[in-house]
Amino acid sequence: MKKLLLFDIDCTLITSKNRIGHKVTYEAFEELLGISIPLDHPATFAGKTDLQIFHELAVEFGADPATVAEQKGNLREVLGRRFADYGTPEWFELLPGAGELVRALDADEDAVLGLVTGNVRPSAYMKLRSHGLDGFFAFGAFGCDEADRAKLPPPALERAEEWSGRRFSLEDTVIIGDAPGDVYCAKAHGIRVVAVATGGTTAEELRAVGADVVFDDFSR
């Protein structure tokens, strides 16, 4: 029985260095809305979509709602363009065991790999490409599809069917992530969750919010 395995990226497979994710997001925000955010501003991105982050920052910094509505459709292009300058291992670290896990699952004929990530699509594949993982994920749902992460699993399943010619049930699907937001988005649809404590959430906290299986990392 084939299983659909939908991976998060940030702090699950790859983590950014030197707050590059915040830097690029704040630069894109300034380009789109004309509001400068200090690099040390402590926004929390874990488990959120890029659209959600954009809206939360817009509210926090008092952006004009009409301008926000007008510019949100440009977020994908601007983030993708700005992240393109940083798509190397200098800026992104492959987490322990992540590469080996992806390659092993790709070799398993019973596993189909996809993405459920808060990144807009261009940023998602740029980050994966920094460590040669982009070719293992042919489809997914992204942070430019919906602001609410809990709405991402249905389009991911639809795209899995389009790509593979096979319909996957919720019982045949697993979401793999590192944050409570990954757990909540899966549980909203009755999907099982494998969580890894390589982000800012402990293994105990991930179990407490409902993760079915929890690893400290993917190195074993």
Side-chain angles (χ1 to χ4, degrees):
M1 181 69 69
K2 285 189 179 291
K3 299 293 184 183
L4 175 61
L5 308 178
L6 299 172
F7 278 83
D8 174 52
I9 297 175
D10 292 307
C11 296
T12 298
L13 297 175
I14 290 171
T15 188
S16 62
K17 302 177 184 179
N18 300 320
R19 287 177 61 86
I20 193 61
H22 286 73
K23 178 179 185 294
V24 171
T25 298
Y26 295 165
E27 288 174 350
F29 189 83
E30 182 172 10
E31 178 177 338
L32 290 165
L33 299 180
I35 298 173
S36 177
I37 302 176
L39 179 57
D40 61 357
H41 180 67
T44 300
F45 292 177
K48 299 178 181 179
T49 67
D50 282 337
L51 272 174
Q52 179 183 354
I53 293 164
F54 178 69
H55 285 294
E56 288 181 355
L57 290 172
V59 171
E60 181 178 358
F61 286 88
D64 174 56
T67 306
V68 172
E70 178 183 334
Q71 292 287 12
K72 70 177 183 179
N74 297 321
L75 183 65
R76 167 178 166 155
E77 184 276 327
V78 172
L79 278 175
R81 169 166 45 79
R82 287 187 170 273
F83 262 121
D85 293 333
Y86 301 99
T88 67
E90 177 185 358
W91 298 103
F92 294 96
E93 177 182 353
L94 187 63
L95 288 165
E100 293 86 348
L101 175 64
V102 169
R103 289 178 173 87
L105 291 172
D106 181 68
D108 184 344
E109 62 181 16
D110 290 326
V112 175
L113 305 187
L115 299 168
V116 165
T117 173
N119 290 283
V120 297
R121 193 180 191 282
S123 302
Y125 282 103
M126 181 281 302
K127 292 178 181 183
L128 292 169
R129 194 175 304 117
S130 71
H131 286 277
L133 298 183
D134 52 311
F136 294 102
F137 300 95
F139 60 86
F142 304 92
C144 45
D145 292 322
E146 298 283 353
D148 182 355
R149 193 183 187 102
K151 294 181 178 179
L152 293 181
L157 267 71
E158 290 174 9
R159 291 165 188 170
E161 182 177 355
E162 292 170 1
W163 179 81
S164 68
R166 176 189 181 89
R167 176 169 294 184
F168 292 92
S169 69
L170 298 177
E171 292 75 19
D172 291 333
T173 303
V174 179
I175 284 178
I176 301 99
D178 70 284
D182 300 302
V183 179
Y184 299 145
C185 96
K187 293 301 180 181
H189 301 276
I191 296 172
R192 289 175 294 167
V193 184
V194 171
V196 59
T198 43
T201 307
T202 67
E204 292 74 17
E205 290 168 336
L206 290 165
R207 291 188 186 96
V209 296
D212 298 289
V213 178
V214 180
F215 295 96
D216 290 329
D217 60 43
F218 289 137
S219 63
R220 59 188 182 279

